[in-house]
Amino acid sequence: MLDLHTHSSFSDGSDTPTQLAEKAHDLGVSAIALTDHDTTLSHTEMAGACERLGLELVTGVEVSLRDTQFPRSRDGVTKPRNVHVLAYFLPLDPEHPLQKKLASLRHDRDSRNHELVNVLQEKGFEDLTLAYLTEMTGNVDSIGRPHFARAMIDLHPELVGAQNEDTWNRVFIDWLGTDGAAYVSKTSMPIEEFVDAAQGSGTVFSIAHPLVNYVDEVSPTSIETTMPRVMASLRERRFVGVEAYYGGTSAGIRALMVKLTRDAGMIPTGGSDYHGTYKTDVQLGFGRTGDLRVPDEILDELKAAR
């Protein structure tokens, strides 16, 4: 069993890389990809823990990029679509062009976080500061929207409600999500720019949770209408995978996505999108529904695509 989509405390997960590796080992995961947002700085600790435990580690990262070929229209305004991309087997040399792109994305994230703090303070979250968020995460580069959500609930329950799962979800829908009152976009880097920087490095790309990115209504009809066009376009832009085995979808939807991915001549990658206590309903290795199983042979296919 594989899990090719996980997060640690170096981005927006609650577990340290060591804790993450230990949990994966105890659950029987055979190989794991650590895909923190915009950074591979977590991989030194993760590699040591995985080597000690006999767990295969796939070097990975998740980045937020713009897809101009499938723009999103809202209220008469058309903008490039913000999508999440998974990169596997990427180089760790900080001087590599791909790592320089990651540094640029981290800068964009920092700018977004400063702006988001200002927006939230203007909307009544007066106690929420960047210093508070930095103390919470231990690293200013690790701050993500789950940390904002936790701070909003902890500091201003009078504005968002008491701590519970419903409040947590509403914070993202009402405030931090794409249609939220405090949404601030993080990056303007197009997919093509990031993929071009990896040329010749053996990095392989998969689109993360594609239904979240591209489908407004998750139903077999809308998926069959939309995703073949999206997959064909991504394949032309040097993507080899689609996260068809996604931990947040049902078994039936996963089966449909695997079929469409194979029909497109691509590899159905997969993972839980584990964030620890920041997504309490998502199990490492097993996803939200508990029945996720990413076949071991998927990793062999990804290695062959390098």
Side-chain angles (χ1 to χ4, degrees):
M1 181 175 69
L2 310 176
D3 197 332
L4 301 178
H5 190 167
T6 68
H7 299 277
S8 79
S9 54
F10 277 71
S11 65
D12 56 351
S14 63
D15 294 348
T16 66
T18 298
Q19 290 170 330
L20 180 63
E22 289 172 346
K23 287 183 179 179
H25 174 265
D26 292 345
L27 289 169
V29 174
S30 58
I32 187 170
L34 179 52
T35 53
D36 280 325
H37 292 281
D38 305 334
T39 185
T40 56
L41 294 176
S42 48
H43 280 271
T44 299
E45 179 182 340
M46 188 69 171
C50 287
E51 183 177 6
R52 175 172 56 83
L53 295 165
L55 182 65
E56 184 174 0
L57 174 62
V58 177
T59 306
V61 73
E62 183 176 11
V63 292
S64 181
L65 302 170
R66 295 300 180 92
D67 191 343
T68 58
Q69 295 197 17
F70 294 89
R72 187 188 298 271
S73 296
R74 279 196 175 90
D75 302 322
V77 178
T78 300
K79 295 181 178 180
R81 185 177 296 266
N82 188 62
V83 301
H84 287 197
V85 171
L86 294 162
Y88 299 117
F89 310 112
L90 71 162
L92 297 180
D93 178 0
E95 296 305 312
H96 191 278
L98 196 61
Q99 286 289 344
K100 290 185 178 294
K101 293 299 180 186
L102 290 178
S104 175
L105 289 170
R106 289 194 295 273
H107 175 75
D108 288 349
R109 173 187 291 273
D110 183 59
S111 299
R112 188 279 306 267
N113 288 343
H114 278 83
E115 184 177 351
L116 183 50
V117 166
N118 291 334
V119 169
L120 287 170
Q121 287 182 344
E122 290 172 359
K123 293 183 180 296
F125 295 87
E126 297 175 358
D127 295 335
L128 196 157
T129 64
L130 195 65
Y132 182 90
L133 292 164
T134 303
E135 184 176 357
M136 176 194 296
T137 62
N139 181 356
V140 68
D141 290 333
S142 299
I143 298 171
R145 286 187 297 175
H147 304 117
F148 276 93
R150 178 66 55 82
M152 291 164 71
I153 295 169
D154 289 347
L155 298 173
H156 289 282
E158 77 281 5
L159 295 178
V160 296
Q163 171 65 53
N164 57 54
E165 187 172 331
D166 181 63
T167 298
W168 181 265
N169 292 333
R170 293 307 309 176
V171 165
F172 282 92
I173 294 171
D174 295 341
W175 293 95
L176 301 177
T178 306
D179 296 320
Y183 177 71
V184 177
S185 178
K186 191 185 72 172
T187 181
S188 58
M189 186 181 295
I191 284 177
E192 293 81 3
E193 180 179 339
F194 191 75
V195 172
D196 285 348
Q199 193 153 1
S201 68
T203 305
V204 296
F205 294 96
S206 178
I207 193 75
H209 38 68
L211 303 184
V212 176
N213 290 331
Y214 291 103
V215 178
D216 295 327
E217 178 190 354
V218 179
S219 68
T221 299
S222 61
I223 292 170
E224 290 174 333
T225 300
T226 304
M227 288 312 302
R229 292 186 296 110
V230 171
M231 291 175 185
S233 172
L234 290 170
R235 186 180 180 187
E236 288 179 359
R237 289 180 282 171
R238 288 177 286 175
F239 278 68
V240 305
V242 174
E243 194 174 44
Y245 292 103
Y246 181 58
T249 53
S250 67
I253 294 297
R254 291 197 301 267
L256 174 59
M257 284 296 294
V258 170
K259 178 185 182 303
L260 293 176
T261 302
R262 291 298 190 191
D263 289 347
M266 301 175 77
I267 302 168
T269 68
S272 63
D273 199 3
Y274 176 76
H275 285 72
T277 59
Y278 290 121
K279 286 186 179 181
T280 57
D281 59 337
V282 176
Q283 291 180 268
L284 181 64
F286 298 97
R288 179 169 286 128
T289 56
D291 61 354
L292 178 68
R293 300 291 186 280
V294 183
D296 288 341
E297 57 265 26
I298 297 300
L299 183 53
D300 295 331
E301 293 182 54
L302 287 175
K303 289 177 179 177
R306 297 187 67 182

